[in-house]
Amino acid sequence: MWPVPPAKCFVKEVTDIRLTGLILKGRYCILEQISTGGEGTLYLARDLELGCLWAVKEIPVSHKKEAKLLRLLDHPYMPRMIDYVEKEEYCYLVMEFIQGKSLEEWKKEGRRFSEEELLSFGIMIAQVLGYLHSRKPPVYYGDLKPGNLMLTQEGKLYLVDFGSAVQGYSRQQKECWGTVGYASPEQLKGQICEKSDIYTLGKTILALLTGNPVRYILHDPLFMWFLFRCCRKKEAYRYKNMQEVEKILKSIQKKKGRGRYAMAVAGITALGLVAAGILLAREPEKMEFWEQLTQITEVYYQLDFQDEPRDKRIEAVGKVRDQLQDMLTLYTKKEEQEYVLQMLRANEELLELWKS
């Protein structure tokens, strides 16, 4: 994990300190180290009064904002902080011990997540991030990734490690933490907002896709379009907030198994998602054509489009045809012309299908 900016990490060396057997506050006996990284080290501890197990996170006193933040938060998908101890230059957060593994660990062990599981994960993540964003002042998590999501054997997901979270109403320049490959473009410039967490949600689920991504595209184009919208480089093209994200995911979950729509738009879906993939892969320059193309064809991926009356769908497809024809006059490069013509052909096939 990298702090952005400045480009330095707070990783404490633990080889010169042995906490095993240490008793904090006369109550919490450190049993073993669980993990280390980021700005702290996690230990397993036994409560000598209650006999139960807790997780104890050790961090430098200078970075105890996580403790101050967790004290104010309470959500079913977050571990509870039940006590706090300061000892010399370190502080210790005594928290609920989550008996599970991170999604990153599950993935490394070869576990393949189904689309149903990914939808369920997305809904749980949207709910807990929506809770954080609704605080006053709002809390932006800032470092969502598979390694910071703990999954229990019962299938419950927990968001852990709040060392990167940022509080505030404004978008002024801040010291924003994030992980390369997941952090949004604006976060890498030192700015963060709720749409930054939407970006990392999309990137996190994309990282959990296993096997050939074409399988997901053909099986459920709506789900892939959802991920594409989350991961747009420009904030304006992402979803508005976590409430909208949760609503979309629940709608996709509800409509699963209804293959009529996916079959009807299979051709244009594949073409549209190729354009989406190009947008995700290319550099910001030379984006205008692909941005325009995806904006025009986005109607096909809206969840309510499939339920519109036939005449409304025909009207929408006709509007797309007119806009694509306008693009032929605006973009004259061979690659652009060929792609627009492919989209027009697929669009006409869909139009004929609904007119017949």
Side-chain angles (χ1 to χ4, degrees):
M1 184 176 74
W2 290 264
V4 185
K8 60 181 180 180
C9 288
F10 295 98
V11 180
K12 188 179 74 67
E13 293 289 342
V14 296
T15 54
D16 60 343
I17 185 169
R18 297 290 183 267
L19 293 188
T20 301
L22 177 69
I23 299 177
L24 299 171
K25 216 174 184 178
R27 177 176 177 179
Y28 309 109
C29 179
I30 303 296
L31 300 179
E32 62 179 296
Q33 179 180 305
I34 299 174
S35 63
T36 185
E39 62 177 277
T41 304
L42 195 65
Y43 295 90
L44 180 66
R46 181 174 296 279
D47 189 323
L48 298 180
E49 292 185 13
L50 301 178
C52 58
L53 297 174
W54 300 109
V56 175
K57 184 173 183 179
E58 179 193 49
I59 56 176
V61 171
S62 57
H63 300 107
K64 64 180 181 181
K65 68 170 186 173
E66 184 175 357
K68 295 179 180 179
L69 182 60
L70 285 174
R71 180 174 55 86
L72 303 173
L73 302 174
D74 182 23
H75 191 275
Y77 300 146
M78 290 173 48
R80 292 176 295 115
M81 189 181 91
I82 58 103
D83 210 341
Y84 174 81
V85 183
E86 281 193 23
K87 186 177 177 62
E88 298 175 350
E89 71 268 33
Y90 296 106
C91 59
Y92 301 87
L93 286 60
V94 184
M95 301 181 294
E96 179 182 2
F97 174 53
I98 309 301
Q99 295 188 2
K101 301 176 185 176
S102 73
L103 293 183
E104 182 68 28
E105 290 175 306
W106 283 114
K107 184 179 177 181
K108 285 180 178 178
E109 289 179 6
R111 178 165 174 175
R112 299 172 67 89
F113 299 105
S114 66
E115 185 183 336
E116 289 80 2
E117 287 178 303
L118 295 178
L119 285 168
S120 180
F121 294 162
I123 291 169
M124 286 189 275
I125 295 168
Q127 288 174 348
V128 66
L129 291 180
Y131 164 78
L132 295 177
H133 296 169
S134 69
R135 300 304 87 197
K136 299 186 185 301
V139 177
Y140 307 125
Y141 181 70
D143 195 27
L144 186 65
K145 57 185 177 181
N148 284 343
L149 291 163
M150 297 291 292
L151 181 67
T152 67
Q153 290 286 355
E154 295 75 30
K156 187 175 180 181
L157 204 64
Y158 285 89
L159 185 65
V160 300
D161 193 348
F162 282 72
S164 303
V166 174
Q167 284 182 294
Y169 290 102
S170 64
R171 290 176 52 86
Q172 74 262 23
Q173 205 80 1
K174 298 175 182 286
E175 184 185 76
C176 297
W177 292 63
T179 298
V180 173
Y182 294 92
S184 65
E186 68 274 8
Q187 192 175 345
L188 295 175
K189 297 176 183 177
Q191 295 183 334
I192 191 170
C193 64
E194 62 184 333
K195 289 193 174 185
S196 306
D197 281 342
I198 291 174
Y199 182 94
T200 55
L201 184 152
K203 286 290 187 179
T204 296
I205 297 179
L206 277 172
L208 295 172
L209 296 180
T210 52
N212 188 348
V214 174
R215 173 170 62 90
Y216 291 92
I217 292 174
L218 296 178
H219 182 64
D220 198 335
L222 293 176
F223 184 43
M224 295 306 294
W225 188 258
F226 162 79
L227 295 177
F228 166 64
R229 280 286 303 275
C230 287
C231 298
R232 299 296 290 271
K233 289 183 172 65
K234 293 185 180 179
E235 297 170 49
Y237 295 140
R238 299 174 207 157
Y239 294 106
K240 292 183 296 185
N241 51 47
M242 284 297 170
Q243 288 71 35
E244 184 179 12
V245 167
E246 182 184 352
K247 180 181 177 182
I248 294 291
L249 284 169
K250 285 183 174 179
S251 297
I252 295 173
Q253 194 177 54
K254 184 178 179 181
K255 292 176 185 292
K256 275 194 64 58
R258 294 171 55 184
R260 173 177 56 85
Y261 174 64
M263 291 299 292
V265 297
I268 203 162
T269 293
L271 289 168
L273 285 169
V274 168
I278 291 171
L279 267 176
L280 288 172
R282 291 195 176 186
E283 295 300 317
E285 59 268 19
K286 300 179 182 178
M287 281 285 128
E288 183 184 350
F289 171 77
W290 301 104
E291 290 280 7
Q292 182 71 15
L293 189 63
T294 51
Q295 287 298 314
I296 289 174
T297 57
E298 187 173 359
V299 63
Y300 295 117
Y301 310 96
Q302 294 175 3
L303 288 167
D304 56 354
F305 178 70
Q306 58 182 299
D307 296 321
E308 290 284 351
R310 189 177 68 154
D311 59 335
K312 291 287 186 183
R313 282 179 277 146
I314 290 173
E315 180 183 347
V317 173
K319 185 177 179 181
V320 170
R321 176 189 57 198
D322 295 341
Q323 292 175 320
L324 288 172
Q325 288 174 342
D326 289 341
M327 285 191 70
L328 284 174
T329 63
L330 293 173
Y331 300 97
T332 56
K333 292 181 180 178
K334 182 180 179 182
E335 177 191 15
E336 296 169 344
Q337 291 268 312
E338 289 178 349
Y339 205 90
V340 173
L341 288 171
Q342 288 183 64
M343 295 293 283
L344 274 169
R345 281 194 292 271
N347 193 75
E348 287 303 309
E349 290 175 6
L350 193 58
L351 191 59
E352 289 301 317
L353 175 65
W354 280 333
K355 280 183 176 180
S356 60

PDB file of all heavy atoms in Angstrom, residues 106-136:
ATOM      1  N   TRP A 106      -8.485 -15.821  -0.121  1.00  0.00           N
ATOM      2  CA  TRP A 106      -9.334 -16.826  -0.754  1.00  0.00           C
ATOM      3  C   TRP A 106      -8.963 -16.983  -2.229  1.00  0.00           C
ATOM      4  O   TRP A 106      -8.890 -18.109  -2.751  1.00  0.00           O
ATOM      5  CB  TRP A 106     -10.807 -16.431  -0.642  1.00  0.00           C
ATOM      6  CG  TRP A 106     -11.432 -16.673   0.700  1.00  0.00           C
ATOM      7  CD1 TRP A 106     -11.892 -15.727   1.577  1.00  0.00           C
ATOM      8  CD2 TRP A 106     -11.702 -17.937   1.319  1.00  0.00           C
ATOM      9  NE1 TRP A 106     -12.417 -16.318   2.700  1.00  0.00           N
ATOM     10  CE2 TRP A 106     -12.315 -17.681   2.560  1.00  0.00           C
ATOM     11  CE3 TRP A 106     -11.481 -19.261   0.945  1.00  0.00           C
ATOM     12  CZ2 TRP A 106     -12.712 -18.689   3.430  1.00  0.00           C
ATOM     13  CZ3 TRP A 106     -11.870 -20.269   1.807  1.00  0.00           C
ATOM     14  CH2 TRP A 106     -12.474 -19.985   3.029  1.00  0.00           C
ATOM     15  N   LYS A 107      -8.734 -15.854  -2.909  1.00  0.00           N
ATOM     16  CA  LYS A 107      -8.402 -15.899  -4.332  1.00  0.00           C
ATOM     17  C   LYS A 107      -7.072 -16.599  -4.568  1.00  0.00           C
ATOM     18  O   LYS A 107      -6.946 -17.426  -5.482  1.00  0.00           O
ATOM     19  CB  LYS A 107      -8.370 -14.469  -4.902  1.00  0.00           C
ATOM     20  CG  LYS A 107      -8.116 -14.416  -6.400  1.00  0.00           C
ATOM     21  CD  LYS A 107      -8.107 -12.988  -6.912  1.00  0.00           C
ATOM     22  CE  LYS A 107      -7.784 -12.953  -8.403  1.00  0.00           C
ATOM     23  NZ  LYS A 107      -7.750 -11.568  -8.930  1.00  0.00           N
ATOM     24  N   LYS A 108      -6.075 -16.286  -3.735  1.00  0.00           N
ATOM     25  CA  LYS A 108      -4.760 -16.904  -3.891  1.00  0.00           C
ATOM     26  C   LYS A 108      -4.817 -18.416  -3.660  1.00  0.00           C
ATOM     27  O   LYS A 108      -4.011 -19.171  -4.206  1.00  0.00           O
ATOM     28  CB  LYS A 108      -3.760 -16.259  -2.927  1.00  0.00           C
ATOM     29  CG  LYS A 108      -3.315 -14.875  -3.355  1.00  0.00           C
ATOM     30  CD  LYS A 108      -2.325 -14.280  -2.373  1.00  0.00           C
ATOM     31  CE  LYS A 108      -1.853 -12.906  -2.838  1.00  0.00           C
ATOM     32  NZ  LYS A 108      -0.912 -12.287  -1.868  1.00  0.00           N
ATOM     33  N   GLU A 109      -5.771 -18.837  -2.840  1.00  0.00           N
ATOM     34  CA  GLU A 109      -5.924 -20.270  -2.580  1.00  0.00           C
ATOM     35  C   GLU A 109      -6.690 -20.981  -3.687  1.00  0.00           C
ATOM     36  O   GLU A 109      -6.921 -22.184  -3.614  1.00  0.00           O
ATOM     37  CB  GLU A 109      -6.630 -20.471  -1.233  1.00  0.00           C
ATOM     38  CG  GLU A 109      -5.754 -20.104  -0.046  1.00  0.00           C
ATOM     39  CD  GLU A 109      -6.474 -20.278   1.278  1.00  0.00           C
ATOM     40  OE1 GLU A 109      -7.613 -20.799   1.269  1.00  0.00           O
ATOM     41  OE2 GLU A 109      -5.898 -19.918   2.313  1.00  0.00           O
ATOM     42  N   GLY A 110      -7.104 -20.212  -4.706  1.00  0.00           N
ATOM     43  CA  GLY A 110      -7.754 -20.822  -5.857  1.00  0.00           C
ATOM     44  C   GLY A 110      -9.266 -20.800  -5.837  1.00  0.00           C
ATOM     45  O   GLY A 110      -9.907 -21.410  -6.701  1.00  0.00           O
ATOM     46  N   ARG A 111      -9.855 -20.099  -4.879  1.00  0.00           N
ATOM     47  CA  ARG A 111     -11.312 -20.055  -4.834  1.00  0.00           C
ATOM     48  C   ARG A 111     -11.838 -19.219  -5.998  1.00  0.00           C
ATOM     49  O   ARG A 111     -11.355 -18.124  -6.267  1.00  0.00           O
ATOM     50  CB  ARG A 111     -11.797 -19.464  -3.518  1.00  0.00           C
ATOM     51  CG  ARG A 111     -13.315 -19.341  -3.428  1.00  0.00           C
ATOM     52  CD  ARG A 111     -13.785 -19.094  -2.027  1.00  0.00           C
ATOM     53  NE  ARG A 111     -15.212 -18.848  -1.989  1.00  0.00           N
ATOM     54  CZ  ARG A 111     -15.916 -18.693  -0.874  1.00  0.00           C
ATOM     55  NH1 ARG A 111     -15.295 -18.775   0.298  1.00  0.00           N
ATOM     56  NH2 ARG A 111     -17.207 -18.460  -0.900  1.00  0.00           N
ATOM     57  N   ARG A 112     -12.836 -19.735  -6.692  1.00  0.00           N
ATOM     58  CA  ARG A 112     -13.479 -19.034  -7.803  1.00  0.00           C
ATOM     59  C   ARG A 112     -14.819 -18.495  -7.320  1.00  0.00           C
ATOM     60  O   ARG A 112     -15.656 -19.230  -6.811  1.00  0.00           O
ATOM     61  CB  ARG A 112     -13.678 -19.980  -8.988  1.00  0.00           C
ATOM     62  CG  ARG A 112     -12.386 -20.546  -9.543  1.00  0.00           C
ATOM     63  CD  ARG A 112     -12.654 -21.622 -10.589  1.00  0.00           C
ATOM     64  NE  ARG A 112     -13.265 -21.062 -11.780  1.00  0.00           N
ATOM     65  CZ  ARG A 112     -12.582 -20.588 -12.824  1.00  0.00           C
ATOM     66  NH1 ARG A 112     -11.255 -20.624 -12.807  1.00  0.00           N
ATOM     67  NH2 ARG A 112     -13.193 -20.106 -13.872  1.00  0.00           N
ATOM     68  N   PHE A 113     -14.987 -17.189  -7.465  1.00  0.00           N
ATOM     69  CA  PHE A 113     -16.212 -16.554  -7.009  1.00  0.00           C
ATOM     70  C   PHE A 113     -17.239 -16.530  -8.141  1.00  0.00           C
ATOM     71  O   PHE A 113     -16.941 -16.115  -9.259  1.00  0.00           O
ATOM     72  CB  PHE A 113     -15.932 -15.124  -6.541  1.00  0.00           C
ATOM     73  CG  PHE A 113     -14.966 -15.049  -5.390  1.00  0.00           C
ATOM     74  CD1 PHE A 113     -13.651 -14.633  -5.584  1.00  0.00           C
ATOM     75  CD2 PHE A 113     -15.365 -15.412  -4.110  1.00  0.00           C
ATOM     76  CE1 PHE A 113     -12.759 -14.575  -4.531  1.00  0.00           C
ATOM     77  CE2 PHE A 113     -14.473 -15.358  -3.046  1.00  0.00           C
ATOM     78  CZ  PHE A 113     -13.174 -14.938  -3.256  1.00  0.00           C
ATOM     79  N   SER A 114     -18.448 -16.963  -7.830  1.00  0.00           N
ATOM     80  CA  SER A 114     -19.519 -16.933  -8.824  1.00  0.00           C
ATOM     81  C   SER A 114     -20.046 -15.506  -8.957  1.00  0.00           C
ATOM     82  O   SER A 114     -19.786 -14.650  -8.109  1.00  0.00           O
ATOM     83  CB  SER A 114     -20.664 -17.851  -8.386  1.00  0.00           C
ATOM     84  OG  SER A 114     -21.287 -17.350  -7.210  1.00  0.00           O
ATOM     85  N   GLU A 115     -20.790 -15.270 -10.034  1.00  0.00           N
ATOM     86  CA  GLU A 115     -21.377 -13.942 -10.212  1.00  0.00           C
ATOM     87  C   GLU A 115     -22.349 -13.633  -9.080  1.00  0.00           C
ATOM     88  O   GLU A 115     -22.425 -12.492  -8.617  1.00  0.00           O
ATOM     89  CB  GLU A 115     -22.101 -13.840 -11.555  1.00  0.00           C
ATOM     90  CG  GLU A 115     -22.609 -12.433 -11.826  1.00  0.00           C
ATOM     91  CD  GLU A 115     -23.384 -12.338 -13.123  1.00  0.00           C
ATOM     92  OE1 GLU A 115     -23.180 -13.173 -14.016  1.00  0.00           O
ATOM     93  OE2 GLU A 115     -24.218 -11.423 -13.238  1.00  0.00           O
ATOM     94  N   GLU A 116     -23.086 -14.638  -8.608  1.00  0.00           N
ATOM     95  CA  GLU A 116     -24.015 -14.429  -7.495  1.00  0.00           C
ATOM     96  C   GLU A 116     -23.258 -13.961  -6.251  1.00  0.00           C
ATOM     97  O   GLU A 116     -23.716 -13.063  -5.538  1.00  0.00           O
ATOM     98  CB  GLU A 116     -24.775 -15.728  -7.189  1.00  0.00           C
ATOM     99  CG  GLU A 116     -25.792 -16.127  -8.240  1.00  0.00           C
ATOM    100  CD  GLU A 116     -25.167 -16.822  -9.447  1.00  0.00           C
ATOM    101  OE1 GLU A 116     -23.927 -17.028  -9.453  1.00  0.00           O
ATOM    102  OE2 GLU A 116     -25.913 -17.153 -10.387  1.00  0.00           O
ATOM    103  N   GLU A 117     -22.091 -14.568  -5.984  1.00  0.00           N
ATOM    104  CA  GLU A 117     -21.284 -14.149  -4.837  1.00  0.00           C
ATOM    105  C   GLU A 117     -20.782 -12.724  -5.013  1.00  0.00           C
ATOM    106  O   GLU A 117     -20.816 -11.909  -4.073  1.00  0.00           O
ATOM    107  CB  GLU A 117     -20.101 -15.092  -4.654  1.00  0.00           C
ATOM    108  CG  GLU A 117     -20.457 -16.461  -4.113  1.00  0.00           C
ATOM    109  CD  GLU A 117     -19.243 -17.352  -4.002  1.00  0.00           C
ATOM    110  OE1 GLU A 117     -18.544 -17.571  -5.014  1.00  0.00           O
ATOM    111  OE2 GLU A 117     -18.984 -17.833  -2.885  1.00  0.00           O
ATOM    112  N   LEU A 118     -20.313 -12.393  -6.219  1.00  0.00           N
ATOM    113  CA  LEU A 118     -19.789 -11.054  -6.471  1.00  0.00           C
ATOM    114  C   LEU A 118     -20.875  -9.996  -6.333  1.00  0.00           C
ATOM    115  O   LEU A 118     -20.627  -8.902  -5.814  1.00  0.00           O
ATOM    116  CB  LEU A 118     -19.153 -10.992  -7.863  1.00  0.00           C
ATOM    117  CG  LEU A 118     -17.908 -11.875  -8.058  1.00  0.00           C
ATOM    118  CD1 LEU A 118     -17.399 -11.765  -9.486  1.00  0.00           C
ATOM    119  CD2 LEU A 118     -16.809 -11.499  -7.069  1.00  0.00           C
ATOM    120  N   LEU A 119     -22.076 -10.303  -6.796  1.00  0.00           N
ATOM    121  CA  LEU A 119     -23.190  -9.371  -6.612  1.00  0.00           C
ATOM    122  C   LEU A 119     -23.485  -9.172  -5.133  1.00  0.00           C
ATOM    123  O   LEU A 119     -23.713  -8.044  -4.676  1.00  0.00           O
ATOM    124  CB  LEU A 119     -24.437  -9.893  -7.332  1.00  0.00           C
ATOM    125  CG  LEU A 119     -24.453  -9.763  -8.856  1.00  0.00           C
ATOM    126  CD1 LEU A 119     -25.602 -10.569  -9.441  1.00  0.00           C
ATOM    127  CD2 LEU A 119     -24.571  -8.303  -9.284  1.00  0.00           C
ATOM    128  N   SER A 120     -23.476 -10.260  -4.386  1.00  0.00           N
ATOM    129  CA  SER A 120     -23.726 -10.180  -2.943  1.00  0.00           C
ATOM    130  C   SER A 120     -22.637  -9.373  -2.250  1.00  0.00           C
ATOM    131  O   SER A 120     -22.926  -8.515  -1.399  1.00  0.00           O
ATOM    132  CB  SER A 120     -23.799 -11.587  -2.353  1.00  0.00           C
ATOM    133  OG  SER A 120     -24.028 -11.547  -0.974  1.00  0.00           O
ATOM    134  N   PHE A 121     -21.366  -9.606  -2.621  1.00  0.00           N
ATOM    135  CA  PHE A 121     -20.266  -8.827  -2.052  1.00  0.00           C
ATOM    136  C   PHE A 121     -20.461  -7.343  -2.361  1.00  0.00           C
ATOM    137  O   PHE A 121     -20.290  -6.487  -1.490  1.00  0.00           O
ATOM    138  CB  PHE A 121     -18.920  -9.275  -2.632  1.00  0.00           C
ATOM    139  CG  PHE A 121     -18.508 -10.671  -2.261  1.00  0.00           C
ATOM    140  CD1 PHE A 121     -17.521 -11.330  -2.992  1.00  0.00           C
ATOM    141  CD2 PHE A 121     -19.082 -11.338  -1.191  1.00  0.00           C
ATOM    142  CE1 PHE A 121     -17.128 -12.616  -2.663  1.00  0.00           C
ATOM    143  CE2 PHE A 121     -18.693 -12.629  -0.851  1.00  0.00           C
ATOM    144  CZ  PHE A 121     -17.719 -13.270  -1.591  1.00  0.00           C
ATOM    145  N   GLY A 122     -20.798  -7.042  -3.624  1.00  0.00           N
ATOM    146  CA  GLY A 122     -20.964  -5.654  -4.033  1.00  0.00           C
ATOM    147  C   GLY A 122     -22.037  -4.944  -3.236  1.00  0.00           C
ATOM    148  O   GLY A 122     -21.875  -3.781  -2.846  1.00  0.00           O
ATOM    149  N   ILE A 123     -23.150  -5.637  -2.974  1.00  0.00           N
ATOM    150  CA  ILE A 123     -24.242  -5.038  -2.200  1.00  0.00           C
ATOM    151  C   ILE A 123     -23.798  -4.761  -0.764  1.00  0.00           C
ATOM    152  O   ILE A 123     -24.056  -3.674  -0.216  1.00  0.00           O
ATOM    153  CB  ILE A 123     -25.480  -5.964  -2.220  1.00  0.00           C
ATOM    154  CG1 ILE A 123     -26.084  -5.991  -3.629  1.00  0.00           C
ATOM    155  CG2 ILE A 123     -26.525  -5.513  -1.197  1.00  0.00           C
ATOM    156  CD1 ILE A 123     -27.141  -7.055  -3.829  1.00  0.00           C
ATOM    157  N   MET A 124     -23.097  -5.717  -0.152  1.00  0.00           N
ATOM    158  CA  MET A 124     -22.621  -5.509   1.225  1.00  0.00           C
ATOM    159  C   MET A 124     -21.612  -4.363   1.292  1.00  0.00           C
ATOM    160  O   MET A 124     -21.661  -3.539   2.212  1.00  0.00           O
ATOM    161  CB  MET A 124     -22.011  -6.805   1.763  1.00  0.00           C
ATOM    162  CG  MET A 124     -23.043  -7.863   2.104  1.00  0.00           C
ATOM    163  SD  MET A 124     -22.356  -9.309   2.977  1.00  0.00           S
ATOM    164  CE  MET A 124     -21.790 -10.298   1.581  1.00  0.00           C
ATOM    165  N   ILE A 125     -20.725  -4.294   0.308  1.00  0.00           N
ATOM    166  CA  ILE A 125     -19.737  -3.207   0.281  1.00  0.00           C
ATOM    167  C   ILE A 125     -20.437  -1.859   0.112  1.00  0.00           C
ATOM    168  O   ILE A 125     -20.109  -0.880   0.789  1.00  0.00           O
ATOM    169  CB  ILE A 125     -18.720  -3.422  -0.858  1.00  0.00           C
ATOM    170  CG1 ILE A 125     -17.896  -4.689  -0.599  1.00  0.00           C
ATOM    171  CG2 ILE A 125     -17.796  -2.220  -0.996  1.00  0.00           C
ATOM    172  CD1 ILE A 125     -17.078  -5.145  -1.801  1.00  0.00           C
ATOM    173  N   ALA A 126     -21.406  -1.801  -0.808  1.00  0.00           N
ATOM    174  CA  ALA A 126     -22.132  -0.551  -1.040  1.00  0.00           C
ATOM    175  C   ALA A 126     -22.860  -0.098   0.218  1.00  0.00           C
ATOM    176  O   ALA A 126     -22.937   1.097   0.517  1.00  0.00           O
ATOM    177  CB  ALA A 126     -23.116  -0.724  -2.196  1.00  0.00           C
ATOM    178  N   GLN A 127     -23.394  -1.046   0.976  1.00  0.00           N
ATOM    179  CA  GLN A 127     -24.120  -0.695   2.193  1.00  0.00           C
ATOM    180  C   GLN A 127     -23.196  -0.101   3.251  1.00  0.00           C
ATOM    181  O   GLN A 127     -23.513   0.924   3.857  1.00  0.00           O
ATOM    182  CB  GLN A 127     -24.844  -1.928   2.737  1.00  0.00           C
ATOM    183  CG  GLN A 127     -26.040  -2.338   1.895  1.00  0.00           C
ATOM    184  CD  GLN A 127     -26.671  -3.637   2.348  1.00  0.00           C
ATOM    185  OE1 GLN A 127     -26.105  -4.374   3.156  1.00  0.00           O
ATOM    186  NE2 GLN A 127     -27.853  -3.938   1.843  1.00  0.00           N
ATOM    187  N   VAL A 128     -22.035  -0.732   3.472  1.00  0.00           N
ATOM    188  CA  VAL A 128     -21.145  -0.215   4.508  1.00  0.00           C
ATOM    189  C   VAL A 128     -20.487   1.101   4.066  1.00  0.00           C
ATOM    190  O   VAL A 128     -20.335   2.028   4.868  1.00  0.00           O
ATOM    191  CB  VAL A 128     -20.090  -1.267   4.921  1.00  0.00           C
ATOM    192  CG1 VAL A 128     -19.124  -1.593   3.794  1.00  0.00           C
ATOM    193  CG2 VAL A 128     -19.325  -0.797   6.153  1.00  0.00           C
ATOM    194  N   LEU A 129     -20.143   1.225   2.784  1.00  0.00           N
ATOM    195  CA  LEU A 129     -19.561   2.479   2.305  1.00  0.00           C
ATOM    196  C   LEU A 129     -20.614   3.588   2.284  1.00  0.00           C
ATOM    197  O   LEU A 129     -20.308   4.747   2.565  1.00  0.00           O
ATOM    198  CB  LEU A 129     -18.954   2.296   0.915  1.00  0.00           C
ATOM    199  CG  LEU A 129     -17.690   1.424   0.851  1.00  0.00           C
ATOM    200  CD1 LEU A 129     -17.182   1.323  -0.586  1.00  0.00           C
ATOM    201  CD2 LEU A 129     -16.593   1.967   1.752  1.00  0.00           C
ATOM    202  N   GLY A 130     -21.857   3.224   1.956  1.00  0.00           N
ATOM    203  CA  GLY A 130     -22.934   4.206   2.017  1.00  0.00           C
ATOM    204  C   GLY A 130     -23.124   4.725   3.434  1.00  0.00           C
ATOM    205  O   GLY A 130     -23.384   5.918   3.648  1.00  0.00           O
ATOM    206  N   TYR A 131     -22.991   3.841   4.427  1.00  0.00           N
ATOM    207  CA  TYR A 131     -23.068   4.246   5.835  1.00  0.00           C
ATOM    208  C   TYR A 131     -21.948   5.237   6.152  1.00  0.00           C
ATOM    209  O   TYR A 131     -22.181   6.280   6.780  1.00  0.00           O
ATOM    210  CB  TYR A 131     -22.969   3.010   6.735  1.00  0.00           C
ATOM    211  CG  TYR A 131     -22.659   3.319   8.175  1.00  0.00           C
ATOM    212  CD1 TYR A 131     -23.644   3.787   9.039  1.00  0.00           C
ATOM    213  CD2 TYR A 131     -21.363   3.142   8.679  1.00  0.00           C
ATOM    214  CE1 TYR A 131     -23.350   4.090  10.359  1.00  0.00           C
ATOM    215  CE2 TYR A 131     -21.066   3.433  10.001  1.00  0.00           C
ATOM    216  CZ  TYR A 131     -22.057   3.907  10.841  1.00  0.00           C
ATOM    217  OH  TYR A 131     -21.763   4.202  12.157  1.00  0.00           O
ATOM    218  N   LEU A 132     -20.725   4.930   5.722  1.00  0.00           N
ATOM    219  CA  LEU A 132     -19.596   5.831   5.987  1.00  0.00           C
ATOM    220  C   LEU A 132     -19.812   7.193   5.346  1.00  0.00           C
ATOM    221  O   LEU A 132     -19.556   8.235   5.956  1.00  0.00           O
ATOM    222  CB  LEU A 132     -18.302   5.205   5.470  1.00  0.00           C
ATOM    223  CG  LEU A 132     -17.831   3.917   6.157  1.00  0.00           C
ATOM    224  CD1 LEU A 132     -16.574   3.386   5.482  1.00  0.00           C
ATOM    225  CD2 LEU A 132     -17.588   4.148   7.637  1.00  0.00           C
ATOM    226  N   HIS A 133     -20.311   7.196   4.120  1.00  0.00           N
ATOM    227  CA  HIS A 133     -20.517   8.460   3.402  1.00  0.00           C
ATOM    228  C   HIS A 133     -21.631   9.297   4.015  1.00  0.00           C
ATOM    229  O   HIS A 133     -21.672  10.514   3.831  1.00  0.00           O
ATOM    230  CB  HIS A 133     -20.847   8.188   1.922  1.00  0.00           C
ATOM    231  CG  HIS A 133     -19.726   7.532   1.179  1.00  0.00           C
ATOM    232  ND1 HIS A 133     -19.884   7.003  -0.089  1.00  0.00           N
ATOM    233  CD2 HIS A 133     -18.438   7.309   1.516  1.00  0.00           C
ATOM    234  CE1 HIS A 133     -18.734   6.490  -0.492  1.00  0.00           C
ATOM    235  NE2 HIS A 133     -17.843   6.652   0.460  1.00  0.00           N
ATOM    236  N   SER A 134     -22.538   8.664   4.750  1.00  0.00           N
ATOM    237  CA  SER A 134     -23.664   9.390   5.355  1.00  0.00           C
ATOM    238  C   SER A 134     -23.307  10.010   6.705  1.00  0.00           C
ATOM    239  O   SER A 134     -24.123  10.727   7.290  1.00  0.00           O
ATOM    240  CB  SER A 134     -24.858   8.450   5.530  1.00  0.00           C
ATOM    241  OG  SER A 134     -24.600   7.468   6.537  1.00  0.00           O
ATOM    242  N   ARG A 135     -22.100   9.735   7.215  1.00  0.00           N
ATOM    243  CA  ARG A 135     -21.702  10.329   8.494  1.00  0.00           C
ATOM    244  C   ARG A 135     -21.526  11.827   8.338  1.00  0.00           C
ATOM    245  O   ARG A 135     -21.375  12.337   7.242  1.00  0.00           O
ATOM    246  CB  ARG A 135     -20.385   9.725   9.000  1.00  0.00           C
ATOM    247  CG  ARG A 135     -20.371   8.214   9.253  1.00  0.00           C
ATOM    248  CD  ARG A 135     -21.446   7.742  10.207  1.00  0.00           C
ATOM    249  NE  ARG A 135     -22.694   7.464   9.515  1.00  0.00           N
ATOM    250  CZ  ARG A 135     -23.884   7.350  10.097  1.00  0.00           C
ATOM    251  NH1 ARG A 135     -23.978   7.535  11.399  1.00  0.00           N
ATOM    252  NH2 ARG A 135     -24.956   7.071   9.395  1.00  0.00           N
ATOM    253  N   LYS A 136     -21.529  12.538   9.442  1.00  0.00           N
ATOM    254  CA  LYS A 136     -21.320  13.987   9.419  1.00  0.00           C
ATOM    255  C   LYS A 136     -20.151  14.339  10.339  1.00  0.00           C
ATOM    256  O   LYS A 136     -20.302  14.286  11.566  1.00  0.00           O
ATOM    257  CB  LYS A 136     -22.598  14.710   9.871  1.00  0.00           C
ATOM    258  CG  LYS A 136     -23.795  14.429   8.976  1.00  0.00           C
ATOM    259  CD  LYS A 136     -25.002  15.249   9.357  1.00  0.00           C
ATOM    260  CE  LYS A 136     -26.219  14.881   8.548  1.00  0.00           C
ATOM    261  NZ  LYS A 136     -26.039  15.044   7.106  1.00  0.00           N
TER     262      LYS A 136
END
